[in-house]
Every structure is written in structure tokens, then in C-alpha cells.
Amino acid sequence: MKMAMAGLYKRVLPSPPAVDFASSDGKQLFIEAIQNGTMEGFYRLISYFQTQSEPAYCGLASLAMVLNALAIDPGRKWKGPWRWFDESMLDCCEPLEKVKEKGISFGKLVCLAHCAGAKVEAFRTNQSTLDDFRNFIVRCSTSDDCHVISSYHRATFKQTGTGHFSPIGGYHAERDMALILDVARFKYPPHWVPVTLLWEAMDNVDEATGQHRGFMLISRPHRDPGLLYTLSCKHESWVKVAKYLMDDVPNLVKSDDVKDVHKVLSVVFSSLPSNFEEFIKWLAEVRRREDGGQNLSQEEKGRLSLKEEVLKQVQETSLFKHVVTFLSSVNSCCRNALALSRESNLPDIAATVCCQGAELLDGKFGSPKRYCCRETCVTSLKANGDKPITFVSGTVVNGSSEQGVDVLVPSYLKKLNCCGSSPTSCIGIYPAGNDVLTALLLALPPETWGGIKDEKLLSEMYSLVSTKNLPILLQEEVLHLRRQLHLLKKCQENKPGGK
């Protein structure tokens, strides 16, 4: 005798207006669309089609599916030796526990896609048109190098539920229908819907944000995302920091008192918002100790080498020298900048990095259950004539369990020029607040400094922050940060791609 089980098993797809992909009509639409060449994006998407693992994870599941379909390397391990996008890894813009409870907004998903290394073009319905939307669907349905994620309200299709995200898997031109690859597969199967009705479903205001829904076009970037630095909107203070950098700093430097570079840095750093250090980070590579001990693959060595070259190039800029000189001479008036600049003590930051790394590896970053680092060790490994590699090794404890975590720290050796040191004397240089602050100053839009009244100083500042004077690798890193800052500014203003 079978017992009745509580809960729900699927929903019946309201048809019309939708057409079940597996129905006879749905199959015919599929065949005709293939013949007309508007299912080219389908094959990669279907290869990575997944079911959202939580009821509110539709945005994360849609994005993970598209990122994997585009073969974008997350640059960090999922499980075992495998690098792969999973919902649990998409946490740089919103804590997973918060997404699990409330879902994710359109703007935060755009931020997340960019943070994950994709090129993103986002459009709200009040900033776009039905014809534009249809053209983007056709564009991504006739190639496999871009995909569309739609943010819509289910009620328009007579479906249960409210706001939802899912990728669009194809297009039937004659009947003007789009194929929705619904990531809530426990609820509804993939289905065809009229494009005009999908637009109507998107042309809806999200009550949580007061903003229109819309769609985003996601593709591979022309270059890899940031190698060493990244901006984060995970901490709630990001709105205040983004506003300060983009709106307040240009006004601060207009002061008549700004006569030299030291004073420019003073007015910028003395008013930094609290939690500023949560806004810009340097990227560490983390792995479980059992994933290879202290042996690095050629791929790991290559990535570490690029990070180290970026670090070296930052610290060789004239602006970096000004930042170091300024921070070594100021008092507590610049406490937020000073707090960041003093994060150069590697053993001090090792415990934090190892604990965050363990959370990431376990897919629990931002969860209320915190990890603590019982012990850390900073070692330098040199093998087969290679240059030394810096490891931070830690034993991380969470309740009754513990695991070993290794962090690969980018560093480079710098010769000492002080009296009494031999010509071969060197010191190890690691990422610290000084270079992080330098990278952020370089990333500010050039017009930030346009209000400086002293023409000689204005010319000097333009020279110090000009990307034209930077090596190519650092130039690309700075431009990546600048694009991130621009995107966060749009989010802060609630423009297309905003919150």
C-alpha cells in the first residue's frame, strides 16, 4: 500500500500559451527551427542544462548553465581537480544564504555574470524595445557564442510563481516563438512561448527593487577577467564606496588647497568610507592540500606567473611610489587607507585567506557557520631550478571537522639597494594595501581628476594615471577594474543592469 506523500510533484504546463518542448507540436517547432538555422545556440546550452538546486536559485542556475556553455574558466576548483561553474561558486555579489532566502535581483545577477568573467549586455524593458529583444534572440539563436537570459514574471504564461530567470534556447521565426529552457525542471519542462508574450512577461516591475525586469546577453570576453585584482559588491557598503569614488572624489579634488600629488592623495584617502577594504581585493588561488601537495601544475605556474607580473608592474609605477610615500607619512586621519595598507603582514592575513578559501571550496561562502584557522605556516618552495613559490598553508576547523588548505601567493623578488647589503640581497614582495590602492586609483575614470585647478598638477596626475603609459598586462588589468567600476556605478544608479 502506497502512502500519500506531502509536497508537490511537478505542475501541469498551461498550454496555451506555452507549448511543451516534448509535445508533438513542440517537436515540430524544434525541427523547423533547426532547418531554419535558429537553434545553433541550443546545442551547447542543452549540454549543460541543469536544474536549480534551491527554489530561489533560478538566477544562479541560469548563469552557471550559460557560463559553462560558453566554456568560461572559473579559475578555481569546484570538486576534486575540476574547475567548473556551480551555483555554490556564484557568490561574489550576494551571499548564498541571502539568495537562498530571497532570490537575486536582475542587477545583482548582471554584476555576478561580470564578476564570473563574462561579457554582459543588460537591458531592462523600459530601456529597450520588443524589436531589439527579438533581434538579440535571433543573434544568439543563429550562433553559439552568446546566450540570452530572460527575467520575467510567470503569471503572464498562467504559470504559478512570480519572478523567474531562465535561458532562451532557440527561436522559431515563422511563429515568432522562443524556447525557454526552464531551470525549475522539477516544476515545468522546457517550453515554447510567443516572443510578444515573453516581452510582456518581462515588461513587469519587480516589487523588491521597483525596477523593470529585462534580459541580458552573455558572451565570452575578448580577454580573461582580472588576474590579480577585483571589485566586490558582496558587502552592503559597496553602494557607498562606489558613490564616493565616482561622485565625491571628482568634487573633492576641485579644492583650492590641492596643490600637489600628496594633497590629492590626502583628500581622496582621508574620507574613504568604512569597510572600504571590502570593495577591492587581490585574488588568491586556493586549493585543498590533498589536491597536489606543494607540486604545481604548469597551468598553475602560468597563472601565478601572470599575477606576479601584474604585481611587479603595479609596484614599478610612479603612482605606487607616491602612494607608499604618502601612507608612510600620514596619521590616523586616513585610518581606512592605513588599515588596508597594513595588510601586508602575510602571516596576519593568512588565517583569513585560508578560512575564506575553505568556505569557497565547500560551497559555503558567506554562511553563518564560520570557519576558524587553527594554525598557518608561510613557506617558500623552490623545485627544479624554478624561482621560489610562496605557499600559505593552514589547518581550518569547522566544528568537529578540519581540512588543510593551501593558498598560492603571488610575489616577486626585489633587490635591496640599502647600504651594507650584497648585490644579490633580495626581499619578497607580496600583494598589500599599497598596490591595491594604487590599482584602484589607476582604475578611476580619467575625468575624475579634471576638476584639479592647478594646471601643472592636473598634467602630472593625468600622466600618473594614464593607461597609455602602462605595460600591456597592467593596462588590461586596470581597464578591467574600470569596467567593473562602471558597471557598479550603473547598479548604484539603478540604470539598465542596475539593482
Side-chain angles (χ1 to χ4, degrees), residues 29-93:
L29 286 167
F30 180 57
I31 292 169
E32 291 170 0
I34 289 176
Q35 292 171 343
N36 290 325
T38 53
M39 294 299 295
E40 292 304 306
F42 171 82
Y43 303 104
R44 291 196 185 276
L45 280 175
I46 205 67
S47 298
Y48 303 99
F49 196 8
Q50 67 183 75
T51 304
Q52 60 191 79
S53 62
E54 294 285 345
Y57 272 13
C58 56
L60 302 187
S62 297
L63 182 57
M65 178 177 161
V66 166
L67 292 171
N68 288 324
L70 290 169
I72 294 176
D73 189 338
R76 73 191 223 211
K77 292 173 184 175
W78 163 57
K79 292 183 180 179
W82 303 107
R83 297 197 305 276
W84 178 262
F85 276 108
D86 179 72
E87 296 158 311
S88 63
M89 299 165 65
L90 298 172
D91 57 6
C92 73
C93 294

Side-chain angles (χ1 to χ4, degrees), residues 89-127:
M89 299 165 65
L90 298 172
D91 57 6
C92 73
C93 294
E94 194 85 304
L96 290 177
E97 289 298 314
K98 188 173 180 180
V99 179
K100 187 175 179 179
E101 179 186 354
K102 298 182 178 179
I104 193 167
S105 70
F106 182 80
K108 283 292 181 77
L109 192 66
V110 172
C111 168
L112 197 53
H114 193 278
C115 181
K119 178 183 177 183
V120 191
E121 299 173 75
F123 306 89
R124 295 189 187 276
T125 54
N126 61 332
Q127 305 266 338

Side-chain angles (χ1 to χ4, degrees), residues 11 68 139 172 225 228 237 246 258 284 365-366 380 408 461:
R11 290 282 194 187
N68 288 324
R139 172 180 161 187
H172 190 286
L228 186 58
S237 64
M246 300 293 278
V258 177
F365 196 69
S380 183
L408 309 183
M461 281 303 301

